[in-house]
C-alpha cells in the first residue's frame, strides 16, 4: 500500500544517510554492538556491566544472523537495520490496533493515522541506531494488539519477549493483562466521560474484583503466559537484587513526581493536532465552579510535589547531546521560580489530554493507563523522552483517527519536519567536547 511504501522509502533514505556519514558506533552503540557480536559468536557468558537492559535485541540479531549469515553481526549497518524491520512491523501493528479500536473509521484515515504514529519523532530517530527502543515498542504494542484480538497465549508470549528488551515493560504487560481479564469476565466498563460519581468508579472496580475471583481458575488458564511473565519478572528481581542490570549508580529509582507534568506537556505538544478541537477549546473557555475548585486543588498538589520531588539528574545537567539538556537549561534553570510558574500550563495540558481521552476510552482503561504512566515515569530519576514513547502511542491509539483528516496531515507534516531537522543536526552539526577532543558528539533526542 502507498502509506507503507512511503514509510519504507523514508526509512531507507534516512538509514542510507546516517550509515554513510556515521559508519562507526555512536554513543550507547559502543556497548550494544559488541554485545550483539558476542552473542552472534555464541558467546553468551560475556556481558558488559554498562548495559542496563536485558539481551533481547542481541538475541534477535543472533537469530537474523543464523538466517542471513553471521556477516550481518559484523556490520554496524546491518545490525542497525534490525530496527528498520521493527519499524515496518510497528506500522502494521498500529494499523491493526486502530482497526480494532475504531472499526468505523475509513481505511485511508486509519493508514494515515498509523503512519503518523510510526513517524512519532522520538521513536523514529531510534530506528537508525542500534538501540532497544524500536524492538521494545514493537513487542509491547504487539502484545496489546493480540489482547484486543483475544489471542491471549500469543499476547503473553509477546509480552515476555518485550521484557527481554526492557524490564520496565512489565508495567504495560500487567496493564494489558488487566484489559484481558476485563474482556474475559465480560465486565460492563462505562466510558470515562459518562462516570458521574466516585461511587460509580468503586462499583465498577468491585464488580471486576468479584468476577475475577469467581473465574480465577479460568483466567489463570487462559492467561498462563501473562502469569508466567509476572513470575519470571519476580524471579529476575530476586536474582538481580533490583530492576536495573548495570550502571546502577546512575539509575537509582526514587519518587520523581514532576515527571508526570513533563510528560503531560510533552503529550499535549505532540498530540495537539488531535486534541485541540473546537469543542474542547469552547468547553475549556467556559469553566464552572467545580472545575475551578478542582484546578486550584490540583495546583496546590503540583506546587507541593515540584517543591519536594524535583530531581536534577547529573546526565540532564551535563550531557548537551540531548534536547532535554537545552530545555532544562534554557527554561527550568533560567530562574528558580520557573518550575512553579509553569504549573498553570501543566493544568491546561492535563485538562486537554484528559478531555480528549475521556470521550473515547472506558473508565478502567483510563485508570490502567494512568497507573501505567505513574509506575513507568515516577520512579525514573532522569528526564528522558524515550521513556514517553509507549505512553504517548497508547494514548493516541485510544483517540483514534479524527473525523477531520486534515488534522492527521498536520501531524504528519510536523512529525516529518521534526524528523528531518533532528537527522540534519545529528549528521551535519557535530561538535567536540573540550575534555574529549578526539571524540565527535552529536545532537539527538
Amino acid at each position: 500500500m502507498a502509506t507503507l511504501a512511503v514509510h519504507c522509502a523514508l526509512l531507507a533514505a534516512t538509514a542510507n544517510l546516517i550509515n554513510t556519514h556515521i559508519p562507526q558506533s555512536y554513543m550507547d552503540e559502543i556497548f550494544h554492538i559488541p554485545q550483539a557480536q558476542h552473542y552472534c559468536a555464541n558467546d553468551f557468558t560475556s556481558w558488559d556491566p554498562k548495559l542496563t537492559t536485558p539481551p533481547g535485541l542481541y538475541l534477535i540479531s543472533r537469530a537474523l544472523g543464523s538466517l542471513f549469515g553471521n556477516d550481518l553481526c559484523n556490520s554496524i549497518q546491518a545490525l542497525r537495520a534490525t530496527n528498520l524491520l521493527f519499524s515496518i512491523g510497528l506500522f502494521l501493528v498500529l494499523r491493526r490496533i486502530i482497526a480494532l479500536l475504531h472499526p468505523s473509521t475509513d481505511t485511508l484515515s486509519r493508514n494515515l493515522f498509523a503512519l503518523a504514529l510510526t513517524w512519532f519523532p522520538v521513536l523514529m530517530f531510534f530506528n537508525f541506531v542500534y538501540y532497544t527502543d524500536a524492538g521494545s515498542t514493537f513487542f509491547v504494542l504487539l502484545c496489546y494488539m493480540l489482547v484486543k484480538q483475544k489471542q491471549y497465549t500469543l499476547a503473553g508470549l509477546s509480552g515476555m519477549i518485550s521484557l527481554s528488551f526492557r524490564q520496565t515493560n512489565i508495567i504495560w504487560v500487567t496493564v494489558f493483562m488487566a484489559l484481558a481479564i476485563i474482556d474475559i469476565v465480560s465486565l460492563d466498563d462505562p466510558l470515562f466521560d459518562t462516570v458521574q460519581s466516585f461511587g460509580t468508579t468503586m462499583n465498577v472496580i468491585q464488580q471486576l474484583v468479584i468476577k475475577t475471583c469467581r473465574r480465577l481458575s479460568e483466567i489463570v488458564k487462559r492467561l498462563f503466559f501473562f502469569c508466567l511473565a509476572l513470575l519470571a519478572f519476580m524471579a529476575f528481581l530476586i536474582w538481580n537484587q533490583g530492576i536495573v542490570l548495570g550502571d546502577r549508580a546512575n539509575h537509582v529509582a526514587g519518587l520523581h513526581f514532576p515527571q508526570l507534568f513533563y510528560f503531560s506537556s510533552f503529550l499535549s505538544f505532540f498530540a495537539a493536532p488531535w486534541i485541540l478541537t473546537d469543542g474542547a477549546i469552547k468547553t475549556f473557555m467556559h469553566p464552572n465552579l467545580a472545575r475551578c475548585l478542582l484546578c486550584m486543588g490540583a495546583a496546590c498538589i503540583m506546587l507541593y510535589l515540584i517543591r519536594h520531588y524535583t530531581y536534577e539528574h547529573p546526565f540532564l545537567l551535563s550531557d548537551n547531546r540531548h534536547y532535554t539538556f537545552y530545555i532544562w537549561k534554557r527554561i527550568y534553570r533560567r530562574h528558580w521560580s520557573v518550575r512553579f510558574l509553569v504549573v498553570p500550563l501543566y493544568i491546561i495540558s492535563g485538562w486537554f489530554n484528559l478531555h480528549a481521552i475521556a470521550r473515547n476510552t472506558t473508565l478502567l482503561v483510563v485508570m490502567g493507563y494512568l497507573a501505567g504512566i505513574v509506575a513507568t515515569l515516577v520512579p525514573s530519576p532522569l528526564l528522558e523522552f524515550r521513556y514517553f514513547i509507549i505512553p504517548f502511542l497508547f494514548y493516541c491509539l485510544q483517540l483514534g483517527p479524527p473525523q477531520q483528516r486534515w488534522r492527521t496531515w498536520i501531524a504528519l507534516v510536523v512529525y516529518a519536519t521534526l524528523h528531518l531537522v533532528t537527522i540534519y543536526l545529528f549528521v551535519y552539526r557535530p561538535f567536540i567536547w573540550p575534555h574529549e577532543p578526539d571524540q565527535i558528539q552529536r545532537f539527538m533526542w
Side-chain angles (χ1 to χ4, degrees):
M1 72 181 63
T3 46
L4 180 58
V6 170
H7 179 52
C8 291
L10 182 59
L11 288 177
T14 306
N16 180 67
L17 180 67
I18 288 179
N19 289 330
T20 299
H21 289 83
I22 311 172
Q24 302 84 17
S25 300
Y26 178 71
M27 208 167 165
D28 287 0
E29 286 186 323
I30 64 174
F31 308 117
H32 291 303
I33 289 176
Q35 189 62 53
Q37 291 170 340
H38 279 299
Y39 274 52
C40 287
N42 294 321
D43 177 8
F44 299 105
T45 58
S46 298
W47 185 261
D48 192 324
K50 285 291 185 180
L51 293 168
T52 62
T53 51
L57 178 61
Y58 322 131
L59 290 170
I60 294 291
S61 294
R62 173 68 181 85
L64 292 174
S66 298
L67 291 174
F68 301 107
N70 277 336
D71 286 344
L72 177 146
C73 296
N74 297 323
S75 166
I76 293 175
Q77 292 74 21
L79 286 172
R80 288 172 176 172
T82 306
N83 286 334
L84 302 184
L85 298 178
F86 283 132
S87 185
I88 294 170
L90 179 64
F91 170 80
L92 299 175
V93 166
L94 289 171
R95 188 182 64 178
R96 178 58 179 160
I97 295 174
I98 294 165
L100 291 167
L101 294 178
H102 311 281
S104 62
T105 56
D106 62 274
T107 302
L108 179 58
S109 293
R110 289 200 296 264
N111 289 341
L112 290 174
F113 193 66
L115 184 62
L117 297 186
T118 310
W119 284 6
F120 172 50
V122 180
L123 175 61
M124 187 64 169
F125 173 83
F126 289 99
N127 291 324
F128 307 102
V129 288
Y130 195 65
Y131 277 45
T132 61
D133 300 271
S136 171
T137 304
F138 170 76
F139 282 109
V140 167
L141 293 181
L142 178 63
C143 176
Y144 182 44
M145 182 196 81
L146 293 168
V147 164
K148 298 307 295 182
Q149 294 183 164
K150 303 185 187 305
Q151 296 175 277
Y152 301 128
T153 298
L154 292 176
L157 288 171
S158 180
M160 292 183 70
I161 295 173
S162 78
L163 298 183
S164 72
F165 280 77
R166 186 165 291 165
Q167 51 271 54
T168 53
N169 286 339
I170 189 64
I171 295 165
W172 298 106
V173 171
T174 304
V175 171
F176 301 153
M177 181 179 180
L179 298 183
I181 292 173
I182 293 170
D183 285 338
I184 291 172
V185 302
S186 301
L187 186 70
D188 183 18
D189 187 14
L191 279 175
F192 186 87
D193 203 30
T194 63
V195 176
Q196 300 295 323
S197 67
F198 181 71
T200 301
T201 301
M202 294 307 298
N203 181 63
V204 172
I205 295 174
Q206 182 184 40
Q207 290 300 312
L208 176 61
V209 173
I210 292 172
K211 291 188 175 185
T212 300
C213 291
R214 287 176 178 172
R215 302 176 63 178
L216 187 59
S217 60
E218 177 191 355
I219 290 170
V220 171
K221 182 178 179 180
R222 296 183 67 179
L223 302 182
F224 173 77
F225 283 100
F226 278 99
C227 297
L228 189 61
L230 295 179
L231 291 174
F233 179 74
M234 292 172 63
F236 164 78
L237 287 181
I238 295 171
W239 168 78
N240 190 55
Q241 297 183 342
I243 193 170
V244 178
L245 277 173
D247 197 21
R248 297 193 181 191
N250 291 312
H251 295 83
V252 179
L255 293 175
H256 192 190
F257 289 105
Q259 285 271 46
L260 301 174
F261 313 147
Y262 309 147
F263 171 68
S264 180
S265 306
F266 175 94
L267 177 60
S268 294
F269 176 82
F270 282 101
W274 300 304
I275 67 174
L276 291 181
T277 63
D278 293 340
I281 294 172
K282 288 179 181 178
T283 302
F284 179 79
M285 296 302 293
H286 292 85
N288 54 43
L289 179 60
R291 192 190 309 159
C292 290
L293 293 175
L294 185 63
C295 289
M296 290 174 63
C300 292
I301 294 172
M302 287 181 179
L303 290 170
Y304 175 83
L305 294 177
I306 291 169
R307 171 66 178 82
H308 294 282
Y309 293 98
T310 295
Y311 181 77
E312 296 180 319
H313 195 283
F315 289 173
L316 181 63
L317 300 177
S318 61
D319 195 340
N320 64 344
R321 294 170 295 187
H322 298 287
Y323 293 168
T324 48
F325 170 89
Y326 299 96
I327 292 173
W328 196 259
K329 177 182 178 181
R330 297 177 181 178
I331 298 177
Y332 289 95
R333 286 184 68 88
R334 184 171 292 275
H335 191 270
W336 67 266
S337 63
V338 171
R339 65 187 63 177
F340 300 102
L341 294 176
V342 293
V343 164
L345 296 180
Y346 294 153
I347 292 175
I348 293 171
S349 74
W351 186 91
F352 275 96
N353 295 339
L354 190 59
H355 180 269
I357 198 174
R359 296 173 299 159
N360 298 275
T361 312
T362 61
L363 170 66
L364 292 179
V365 173
V366 172
M367 292 180 65
Y369 172 66
L370 294 177
I373 61 175
V374 169
T376 300
L377 300 180
V378 170
S380 174
L382 177 62
L383 173 57
E384 169 64 79
F385 287 154
R386 288 191 294 157
Y387 301 158
F388 296 168
I389 292 173
I390 293 174
F392 174 82
L393 293 177
F394 185 86
Y395 175 91
C396 291
L397 285 169
Q398 306 312 308
L399 297 185
Q403 293 183 350
Q404 300 165 311
R405 195 180 294 158
W406 59 265
R407 294 181 176 275
T408 301
W409 280 111
I410 289 177
L412 280 167
V413 171
V414 172
Y415 288 5
T417 301
L418 287 173
H419 171 67
L420 294 175
V421 169
T422 299
I423 297 302
Y424 171 78
L425 293 174
F426 184 67
V427 173
Y428 295 110
R429 286 292 181 266
F431 59 97
I432 294 175
W433 285 343
H435 61 283
E436 293 184 8
D438 57 334
Q439 297 290 328
I440 295 177
Q441 311 300 335
R442 300 178 185 277
F443 297 107
M444 58 189 292
W445 284 102

